[in-house]
Amino acid sequence: MNERTVSHAYGADDPGPPSPPAVTDIRHTLREQGRNAFANAEPRVGPTGPAAVRRWKLWLLTVCGIYPTIVLLGLATNPVLEDLDLPVRLAVLVPVAAAAMVWQINPRLQRYFGAWLTR
């Protein structure tokens, strides 16, 4: 006996029993729902992205945050840095003030004034 005859005898080429009608109907329904998902979707209500921040308001908020930061840092470090030239003092103060603005002050100001920034 050859291999093809043996496999045919044991049902290797047989596709098996047909699917029950209920399973076929469910598969068809799910396939159609998947195809029409975007066509039947309801339109979004409300904003699709974040509202634009007014640049002049962001500038004003940054000025209001950075001025007291620089003044307080200047007063706090003046006894230590008073013997240094102004460019060297600023080379120390500016990175510290910028770090404070980026990671501490601006996020809190933007959280507090967020609604005002986008009006």
Side-chain angles (χ1 to χ4, degrees), residues 1-114:
M1 270 186 159
N2 67 19
E3 193 175 310
R4 182 170 170 82
T5 308
V6 173
S7 64
H8 183 67
Y10 288 103
D13 295 331
D14 188 21
S19 297
V23 173
T24 306
D25 290 342
I26 291 171
R27 287 181 188 158
H28 177 72
T29 304
L30 290 174
R31 195 173 296 126
E32 287 299 316
Q33 286 177 352
R35 287 182 189 145
N36 298 328
F38 291 113
N40 296 334
E42 295 181 18
R44 289 186 176 186
V45 179
T48 57
V53 174
R54 307 281 188 222
R55 290 198 181 262
W56 70 269
K57 291 181 179 183
L58 189 59
W59 171 83
L60 183 63
L61 202 62
T62 303
V63 168
C64 290
I66 204 159
Y67 178 75
T69 303
I70 290 176
V71 169
L72 291 174
L73 280 173
L75 290 173
T77 59
N78 193 31
V80 177
L81 303 177
E82 67 183 342
D83 295 336
L84 299 175
D85 292 332
L86 180 62
V88 177
R89 266 190 278 165
L90 289 177
V92 172
L93 289 179
V94 169
V96 174
M101 287 297 295
V102 168
W103 285 294
Q104 292 295 319
I105 298 166
N106 266 352
R108 292 174 189 199
L109 288 174
Q110 288 178 5
R111 197 174 317 124
Y112 186 76
F113 292 103

